[in-house]
PDB file of all heavy atoms in Angstrom:
ATOM      1  N   GLY A  57       6.612 -21.393 -36.151  1.00  0.00           N
ATOM      2  CA  GLY A  57       7.779 -21.282 -37.055  1.00  0.00           C
ATOM      3  C   GLY A  57       7.912 -20.015 -37.743  1.00  0.00           C
ATOM      4  O   GLY A  57       8.577 -19.924 -38.798  1.00  0.00           O
ATOM      5  N   LEU A  77      11.400  -6.151 -19.821  1.00  0.00           N
ATOM      6  CA  LEU A  77      10.844  -7.192 -20.661  1.00  0.00           C
ATOM      7  C   LEU A  77      11.659  -8.524 -20.484  1.00  0.00           C
ATOM      8  O   LEU A  77      12.855  -8.414 -20.412  1.00  0.00           O
ATOM      9  CB  LEU A  77      10.796  -6.757 -22.087  1.00  0.00           C
ATOM     10  CG  LEU A  77      10.152  -7.661 -23.095  1.00  0.00           C
ATOM     11  CD1 LEU A  77       8.610  -7.594 -22.900  1.00  0.00           C
ATOM     12  CD2 LEU A  77      10.445  -7.268 -24.521  1.00  0.00           C
ATOM     13  N   ARG A 143      -4.797 -28.142 -20.545  1.00  0.00           N
ATOM     14  CA  ARG A 143      -3.498 -28.771 -20.195  1.00  0.00           C
ATOM     15  C   ARG A 143      -3.375 -30.150 -20.848  1.00  0.00           C
ATOM     16  O   ARG A 143      -4.392 -30.740 -21.307  1.00  0.00           O
ATOM     17  CB  ARG A 143      -3.477 -28.965 -18.665  1.00  0.00           C
ATOM     18  CG  ARG A 143      -4.533 -29.953 -18.204  1.00  0.00           C
ATOM     19  CD  ARG A 143      -4.555 -30.135 -16.679  1.00  0.00           C
ATOM     20  NE  ARG A 143      -5.591 -31.115 -16.301  1.00  0.00           N
ATOM     21  CZ  ARG A 143      -5.440 -32.411 -16.225  1.00  0.00           C
ATOM     22  NH1 ARG A 143      -4.240 -32.906 -16.473  1.00  0.00           N
ATOM     23  NH2 ARG A 143      -6.443 -33.198 -15.888  1.00  0.00           N
ATOM     24  N   ALA A 179      15.728 -15.769 -10.280  1.00  0.00           N
ATOM     25  CA  ALA A 179      15.781 -15.274  -8.920  1.00  0.00           C
ATOM     26  C   ALA A 179      16.076 -13.783  -8.887  1.00  0.00           C
ATOM     27  O   ALA A 179      15.604 -13.041  -8.031  1.00  0.00           O
ATOM     28  CB  ALA A 179      16.863 -16.045  -8.108  1.00  0.00           C
ATOM     29  N   TYR A 301     -28.699   6.868  27.941  1.00  0.00           N
ATOM     30  CA  TYR A 301     -28.843   5.426  28.107  1.00  0.00           C
ATOM     31  C   TYR A 301     -27.655   4.767  28.664  1.00  0.00           C
ATOM     32  O   TYR A 301     -27.600   3.541  28.838  1.00  0.00           O
ATOM     33  CB  TYR A 301     -29.157   4.835  26.741  1.00  0.00           C
ATOM     34  CG  TYR A 301     -30.537   5.177  26.209  1.00  0.00           C
ATOM     35  CD1 TYR A 301     -30.662   6.085  25.153  1.00  0.00           C
ATOM     36  CD2 TYR A 301     -31.682   4.619  26.756  1.00  0.00           C
ATOM     37  CE1 TYR A 301     -31.935   6.418  24.698  1.00  0.00           C
ATOM     38  CE2 TYR A 301     -32.963   4.989  26.279  1.00  0.00           C
ATOM     39  CZ  TYR A 301     -33.079   5.888  25.255  1.00  0.00           C
ATOM     40  OH  TYR A 301     -34.310   6.231  24.821  1.00  0.00           O
ATOM     41  N   LEU A 366     -19.619 -33.103 -16.736  1.00  0.00           N
ATOM     42  CA  LEU A 366     -19.505 -34.518 -17.047  1.00  0.00           C
ATOM     43  C   LEU A 366     -20.504 -34.933 -18.077  1.00  0.00           C
ATOM     44  O   LEU A 366     -20.586 -36.141 -18.445  1.00  0.00           O
ATOM     45  CB  LEU A 366     -19.693 -35.336 -15.784  1.00  0.00           C
ATOM     46  CG  LEU A 366     -18.556 -35.149 -14.702  1.00  0.00           C
ATOM     47  CD1 LEU A 366     -18.880 -35.998 -13.445  1.00  0.00           C
ATOM     48  CD2 LEU A 366     -17.181 -35.531 -15.260  1.00  0.00           C
ATOM     49  N   ASP A 415     -19.601 -41.828  -8.153  1.00  0.00           N
ATOM     50  CA  ASP A 415     -18.415 -41.599  -7.335  1.00  0.00           C
ATOM     51  C   ASP A 415     -17.541 -40.472  -7.874  1.00  0.00           C
ATOM     52  O   ASP A 415     -17.060 -39.620  -7.132  1.00  0.00           O
ATOM     53  CB  ASP A 415     -17.549 -42.873  -7.202  1.00  0.00           C
ATOM     54  CG  ASP A 415     -18.171 -43.861  -6.272  1.00  0.00           C
ATOM     55  OD1 ASP A 415     -19.217 -43.520  -5.661  1.00  0.00           O
ATOM     56  OD2 ASP A 415     -17.547 -45.001  -6.058  1.00  0.00           O
TER      57      ASP A 415
END
Side-chain angles (χ1 to χ4, degrees):
L77 186 71
R143 66 182 181 88
Y301 291 106
L366 294 178
D415 283 359

